[in-house]
Each structure stands twice: as structure tokens, then as C-alpha cells.
Amino acid sequence: MKRYLLTLVLFYPLLVLSQSNNAPSSYDIHDIKITGYLQTQFQKTQSPGISSFSGGDFAENSDNRFIIRRGRLKIDRVDKYSSIVFQIDATQNGVQLMDAFIQLHQPDNKRFQLTAGLFNRPFGYSIVYSSGYRDFPERSRVFQTIMPRERDIGAMLSYQPIKELRFLNIDVAVVNGSGLFARDYDSKKDVIGNLSFKFDSLANKKLHIGFGGSIYKGSVRNGTESYYTDNGNGFTKNTDPSYKGANLKRNYYGGNVQIQYDNTFGTTSLKAEYVAGVQPGVAASSSISGALASQSFSTQPATDLYLRNFTGCYIWLTQQILKSKFSALLAYDVYDPNSKMNEDQIGLDNNTTAGDIKFSTLGYGMTYLFSSRLKLTVYNERVINSPTQLTNYNKDIRDDVFTTRLQYRW
């Protein structure tokens, strides 16, 4: 038994490379199976009431908190022709539906799959990769902004060859575009395409490589007679009665790579992802924080839209320490919601707001695996924003976050 647990610990990073949210716990035929995980954590930040991408904003007068970050309960069943997955998330904020989909597949293999219902958008790597297996506490700022809560409702066709091209995976999805909690507020649908490759047995089975590319083609309905476009030095207001009801572009493209090497010092894992495109947003205001100004909409926007060209990326490095139960974590991510604008121009008389500010985050910490089910994570995030001409953002704000998390899987 001890040898079995040790094997799981040592090869934990390898096992999780294939952990996708858009799948049942196993494709072996089985009746009802229940799995899940619980994440409970304590956090401390530099200032009370900050806006944060590390588990949500802090309360107005609080700079520390205990929270249940995720409490997932997943029920699935697989028979000869189909699979069904139903997952909820129970935290101090209540119970929310996370996944509810049916998959149809061929009886003899899973080469073609049709998924229908509520599922993770098949864009890139980190969106579909389960939070229960991810070494780092949260997804990067850019993905939390453009795809909050990761899910959408629609249908997806997947293709994964089972012989010569088994390293290949293709997903094409059509979704509402309004996300997890909302009804579709227009007649348009968004299309997502994902192409990925994975090679698991290189260099005497010590090297594992994955990479891929994704595209998102969508739109957001404009609810007013005006919208703003980026002119390189700020925003230009465009006004015409015909603009009300127009669908403004929401387009992303991205690439990702994952490299894992099982060396004498312990497993080394490097994961990186880049995404860019056009994101419809709004102006930051007293009621809309800067962080939320570029976030994707779950309801029809009530104010003029801002079309922003954005870029974002992350790099995650995990190093197992001397094949022990300890692993060191190092991460860096950048999100620039307005890549055409220099930070020293934000806040001038050019219609720019806090929604245009670039943020970068340096994260570092450590994990300890008590067993294959129980994990402790200690992690600190140094969050940096470039100085602007805006009153509250003329220097780096104090919004670093320290997290201690305990997770149990079953």
C-alpha cells in the first residue's frame, strides 16, 4: 500500500496531464459514480476591500478571510453509447450548477464524441484543465476576465483518433456566449475551435510534450446607439441609430505548450499559454471596477461598449523537490486589456478608464502531498499595475495576496 501511494505521489504531475473537466471520471462502463474535491483556505491581502482574482474580491473592511474556495460534487455514469456528467459547486455563497452534459459516442471507441449541455469552453489548456488537479491556486487573470467561470451552454463535437494519430485532438463547439449563469441575450452564437497534440513517451518515456492552438469567434450585442473604438491614443466615440442592436466582434486566438521531464531531481513541469484578440467591454466607473470593465458579459450591457485589443499570457513552473512530496511553484502572468495604449496615457482626456490598465502577477509557493488525496498549498502573489494618470492608479496599488489552502479529493 505504501509503495502504491508513493507511486501516485511521484507520478502525480504525469497523471494529471489528461484531467479534463469535459469528461466523466472514467470512460470505463459504470453505473453512478460520485467524485469531487473540497478546497478550504485562509487568505491575507495588503489592503482591505481589494478587487482580486484570487478567489474573488475582499469585503470592504476586510484584509483577511477564511473561505471555501471550491466544494465540487460530481456524479457521472457511462454506458455503451453515452455518458452523463452532473457537477455542483457548494461554498459559503450557496450551491451552483457547474456541469450538466450528455456525451454520445461510438460503442467500440471514443473516436467521435458529441457533447451537449453545460460544459467548459474548449479553448486552450487551462480552461478545460480541472482546478482539482492544477498546482496553482487560480487560473490566470486574462482567462478569468474573458471567460469567467469557464463554462457555457451549447454543443461540441470532438475527434480523437485511437491508432496512428492518437496524439491528436480536435474540438469544435457552438455556445450561447453568455456564460455559466445566464440565458442567451441575443440570437447570435459563438464558435470555438481547439486543436491539440500530446506526446507522452519521448526520451525513454521521461519527456512528455503537449501543445495546441485555439480560436474563438463571437460577438456581443450593442444595446445603445454608440460604441467606442481604439484609435491608438484613446477611444473614439461612434454614434448612429443603426448601432443599436449591432453585434460587435468578440474574437480570440491563442496557443499553448506543456512540457514535463522526469529527471533525477524530481519531475519538472513547464506550462505556458498566450491569448490575444478583441474584447468588448465597458468603461470603468464608480459602480464598475476596473477589473470588471473588460469582463465578458452574462447579461445585455446597459451602457456603451468599448472595443479593446487585448493580450495575455501565463507561465507556470512546477519542480518536484528531490522526488519528495514537496514541489516548488513559480508563475508569472500578464494581462493587458488595451494593448494599443501606453499606461502613461491612461487617464488623460481620451475616454480611457481603469478598465484599460495592464496588470502582471508574480506567484511563488510550495505544495505538500500528504497522500494522493490530500494536498497543502502555500502561495503568495505579487500583483503589479503600471502607473497611470488616474487618481487612484498613479502608482502600484497594494493588492498582493497570500493564500494557504488545504484540498481533499475523493
Side-chain angles (χ1 to χ4, degrees):
M1 184 64 181
K2 289 183 178 180
R3 179 176 297 178
Y4 171 73
L5 291 176
L6 180 60
T7 300
L8 285 176
V9 168
L10 296 182
F11 290 94
Y12 179 84
L14 174 59
L15 293 173
V16 304
L17 282 176
S18 61
Q19 295 300 327
S20 168
N21 275 322
N22 291 338
S25 56
S26 167
Y27 277 110
D28 296 332
I29 294 177
H30 62 265
D31 209 341
I32 297 297
K33 187 174 183 179
I34 300 176
T35 57
Y37 59 94
L38 176 65
Q39 296 174 346
T40 179
Q41 65 190 39
F42 174 78
Q43 292 180 297
K44 178 73 171 66
T45 185
Q46 289 181 298
S47 307
I50 67 163
S51 177
S52 175
F53 284 81
S54 299
D57 297 345
F58 281 71
E60 181 180 0
N61 299 308
S62 175
D63 65 359
N64 66 86
R65 64 188 179 189
F66 287 100
I67 63 171
I68 304 299
R69 180 62 184 95
R70 297 175 178 90
R72 300 292 171 84
L73 186 66
K74 182 176 183 178
I75 303 172
D76 61 73
R77 184 181 187 276
V78 178
D79 60 31
K80 188 175 181 180
Y81 301 98
S82 64
S83 310
I84 183 170
V85 174
F86 185 85
Q87 182 175 206
I88 59 173
D89 185 32
T91 70
Q92 67 280 342
N93 298 319
V95 179
Q96 298 173 336
L97 179 64
M98 295 303 294
D99 295 297
F101 59 84
I102 298 171
Q103 285 185 337
L104 304 179
H105 51 75
Q106 299 166 282
D108 55 339
N109 61 67
K110 308 296 186 296
R111 182 181 303 163
F112 286 99
Q113 292 183 348
L114 175 64
T115 304
L118 174 65
F119 51 84
N120 280 58
R121 301 174 178 99
F123 186 96
Y125 176 79
S126 66
I127 288 292
V128 179
Y129 190 59
S130 171
S131 297
Y133 288 98
R134 189 179 58 244
D135 292 324
F136 298 84
E138 304 297 340
R139 292 177 175 88
S140 64
R141 179 183 288 255
V142 60
F143 283 109
Q144 290 193 56
T145 302
I146 65 175
M147 297 183 183
R149 300 308 296 264
E150 301 88 50
R151 276 88 172 166
D152 212 328
I153 301 175
M156 174 174 63
L157 181 64
S158 301
Y159 173 66
Q160 185 171 13
I162 58 175
K163 292 184 179 180
E164 290 80 4
L165 299 177
R166 59 184 179 274
F167 53 83
L168 172 68
N169 187 82
I170 301 173
D171 300 302
V172 178
V174 179
V175 297
N176 285 337
S178 48
L180 175 61
F181 300 121
R183 293 177 297 176
D184 197 6
Y185 53 79
D186 62 21
S187 297
K188 300 290 185 178
K189 297 294 178 283
D190 295 358
V191 178
I192 310 170
N194 183 65
L195 175 65
S196 61
F197 302 85
K198 186 172 65 174
F199 302 91
D200 278 336
S201 300
L202 304 176
N204 294 322
K205 299 184 178 180
K206 292 183 177 182
L207 179 63
H208 316 277
I209 297 177
F211 58 91
S214 302
I215 188 170
Y216 187 109
K217 301 287 288 185
S219 63
V220 173
R221 184 181 184 277
N222 188 36
T224 70
E225 296 182 354
S226 301
Y227 71 94
Y228 290 80
T229 53
D230 194 336
N231 59 30
N233 296 308
F235 289 97
T236 300
K237 186 174 184 179
N238 308 279
T239 302
D240 190 281
S242 64
Y243 294 152
K244 186 173 184 178
N247 287 85
L248 305 183
K249 289 182 179 179
R250 177 191 178 193
N251 295 338
Y252 318 142
Y253 59 89
N256 62 85
V257 62
Q258 305 84 45
I259 302 173
Q260 178 181 303
Y261 184 64
D262 304 322
N263 54 70
T264 56
F265 300 102
T267 299
T268 302
S269 174
L270 176 67
K271 302 175 182 180
E273 194 160 1
Y274 174 85
V275 61
V278 178
Q279 174 74 345
V282 296
S285 64
S286 57
S287 59
I288 300 176
S289 70
L292 296 178
S294 292
Q295 197 169 58
S296 297
F297 301 105
S298 58
T299 58
Q300 172 68 57
T303 60
D304 295 343
L305 293 179
Y306 282 62
L307 287 183
R308 295 184 174 98
N309 293 272
F310 76 91
T311 60
C313 66
Y314 69 81
I315 300 174
W316 292 341
L317 176 64
T318 302
Q319 177 61 59
Q320 185 185 21
I321 301 175
L322 299 176
K323 294 189 176 181
S324 70
K325 297 182 180 182
F326 288 95
S327 291
L329 308 179
L330 181 64
Y332 184 72
D333 75 67
V334 178
Y335 174 50
D336 189 352
N338 190 342
S339 57
K340 289 187 176 182
M341 177 67 59
N342 293 325
E343 255 58 35
D344 57 7
Q345 295 177 295
I346 296 176
L348 300 176
D349 189 19
N350 54 10
N351 295 315
T352 54
T353 67
D356 301 294
I357 298 175
K358 177 182 177 180
F359 280 82
S360 60
T361 304
L362 175 64
Y364 49 91
M366 185 169 292
T367 64
Y368 178 77
L369 293 175
F370 292 96
S371 69
S372 60
R373 298 183 181 274
L374 183 61
K375 179 173 70 172
L376 173 67
T377 302
V378 179
Y379 195 74
N380 189 66
E381 291 172 293
R382 175 76 175 96
V383 185
I384 303 169
N385 62 275
S386 302
T388 71
Q389 304 299 319
L390 295 170
T391 301
N392 296 326
Y393 295 91
N394 50 25
K395 60 181 180 180
D396 182 36
I397 59 178
R398 294 173 54 82
D399 55 351
D400 297 357
V401 179
F402 174 80
T403 300
T404 299
R405 171 182 294 176
L406 196 61
Q407 173 182 290
Y408 187 88
R409 289 189 58 88
W410 65 88

